[in-house]
């Protein structure tokens, strides 16, 4: 599923993300994000961006309930926890699950 992404370059981000950097790697469409300080970072064109969707995308017909013991990796994200499921992140929102 393709989603519109906002481009948010991070100024003064000196940490280099990659395999073994110590942050949770999150496969996301054609790249990998890294959970860092409550945000998802993406290495992009020689700098690091915050990787956020530009729109609200509801995951339809999602009956699985995510939580601490659901079997999916939880990724802290801003004021909530996303869950890695089927190659993307799910977040609880308004009584349903969103794709991030």
């Amino acid at each position: 599923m393709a989603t519109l992404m906002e481009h948010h370059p991070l100024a003064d981000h000196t940490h280099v993300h990659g395999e073994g950097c110590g942050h949770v790697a999150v496969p996301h469409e054609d790249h990998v994000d890294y959970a860092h300080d409550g945000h998802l970072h993406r290495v992009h064109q020689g700098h690091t961006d915050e990787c956020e969707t530009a729109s609200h995308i509801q995951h339809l017909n999602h009956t699985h309930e995510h939580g601490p013991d659901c079997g999916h990796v939880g990724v802290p994200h801003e004021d909530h926890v996303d869950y890695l499921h089927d190659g993307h992140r799910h977040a609880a929102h308004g009584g349903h699950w969103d794709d991030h």
Side-chain angles (χ1 to χ4, degrees), residues 20-74:
C21 75
H23 296 107
V24 175
V26 181
H28 186 212
E29 295 180 357
D30 65 347
H31 63 278
V32 176
D33 295 331
Y34 293 90
H36 186 180
D37 294 336
H39 301 277
L40 292 170
H41 292 177
R42 171 190 184 185
V43 178
H44 175 73
Q45 296 179 348
H47 62 273
T48 301
D49 289 340
E50 283 192 39
C51 190
E52 296 298 330
T53 55
S55 61
H56 176 97
I57 302 168
Q58 183 175 348
H59 186 100
L60 300 173
N61 303 317
H62 183 72
T63 59
H64 175 77
E65 286 296 319
H66 292 293
D69 297 319
C70 74
H72 296 105
V73 174

